[in-house]
Amino acid sequence: MEGIDLGNTDALASDQQHGPIYDWFRKKQIRVEANLRGVDTSGFFDEVAEAIGANLPVLKEVLERIRWSQQKEHASATINLDKKSPEDAKAIIRFCQQLYDFSFVAKCFHNKPENNVRLILQSAPAIRCFFSGEWLEWHALMTSLRYAKERKQRFSCARGLKLDLGKETHELDVFMLIDGKTPVCIECKSGEFRQNIDLYLALKKRLGLERRQFLMCIAGLEDEKARAFSAMYDLSFTNERGLAEQLAQLF
């Protein structure tokens, strides 16, 4: 992947790039179906996701307001800035402008007299899915790709990889295969996750992964809780900030 801008390429969106992943699962006698567009970074999903991941505590309210408005089928969302520090308010305004520049929202109004930002929402399914939680998958994918490239590791990657387990199917949020032999599975949750822990434990066992190879990336999870959950369950819990640190333990 030398010379490729990981944040702006469709070079990853091919069966050839996914080939080593297909082979790895074939040896496990698991049929898989790749979502090639899931790793096409020539759009702006990855840029916005990385912006969110870099400053989630400040931008979280923007996401929540947009998601709530989408669920209620409202045409707009308003973010009040009254109780924000000047630095946080600037970051929110800058992010909302980025959402407009990249067409994630149809319009963006900074109402200075009322000290708020009003966003006119897009209704495209891809945009709705992004704000419903896919942003975290994009963030996890880009964190993994950039880390692998920094370490000069050969890799294959997939997002939204569908597994046929016979009696059931499952979709992996992010899957990386480093140097054709080291698998890394990242499940991303921006909302409730506790009810799915048993499912992920069973999946980890079926794939034959070690605890450190199966990462639960939970948006906004406190570091202390991540350590506690990792000690309680045979899974590695982290948040959007600590993902690269977890990858450093693998390759």
Side-chain angles (χ1 to χ4, degrees), residues 59-197:
L59 303 181
K60 183 179 180 181
E61 184 178 344
V62 180
L63 300 183
E64 291 176 344
R65 294 301 304 172
I66 292 176
R67 184 168 60 241
W68 182 85
S69 296
Q70 288 174 334
Q71 290 172 345
K72 298 295 183 180
E73 301 299 335
H74 293 171
S76 66
T78 301
I79 298 91
N80 293 308
L81 303 175
D82 286 341
K83 298 179 181 179
K84 309 295 183 187
S85 69
E87 294 79 11
D88 288 354
K90 285 181 182 178
I92 289 172
I93 294 168
R94 188 165 56 245
F95 176 66
C96 290
Q97 184 61 45
Q98 182 184 32
L99 292 181
Y100 172 69
D101 291 342
F102 290 164
S103 78
F104 281 67
V105 296
K107 292 182 181 179
C108 173
F109 301 102
H110 178 203
N111 190 330
K112 292 182 180 179
E114 295 185 16
N115 200 20
N116 64 33
V117 177
R118 184 166 175 256
L119 303 174
I120 306 301
L121 305 181
Q122 299 278 27
S123 59
I127 299 297
R128 292 176 70 108
C129 288
F130 180 84
F131 287 115
S132 292
E134 275 194 13
W135 71 265
L136 186 57
E137 296 178 20
W138 279 106
H139 169 73
L141 175 69
M142 296 310 299
T143 299
S144 303
L145 293 181
R146 295 192 189 285
Y147 182 77
K149 188 173 184 180
E150 286 173 9
R151 298 295 296 268
K152 294 182 168 55
Q153 293 280 0
R154 186 167 59 90
F155 64 84
S156 299
C157 64
R159 191 177 70 83
L161 187 69
K162 293 182 180 178
L163 311 186
D164 183 351
L165 301 176
K167 294 182 179 180
E168 60 183 15
T169 59
H170 193 86
E171 186 173 299
L172 300 182
D173 291 338
V174 177
F175 188 85
M176 296 277 291
L177 190 63
I178 307 301
D179 202 24
K181 59 186 179 183
T182 303
V184 183
C185 183
I186 307 173
E187 288 296 311
C188 303
K189 291 291 180 184
S190 58
E192 183 52 52
F193 63 91
R194 292 164 181 82
Q195 76 275 18
N196 294 318
I197 288 177

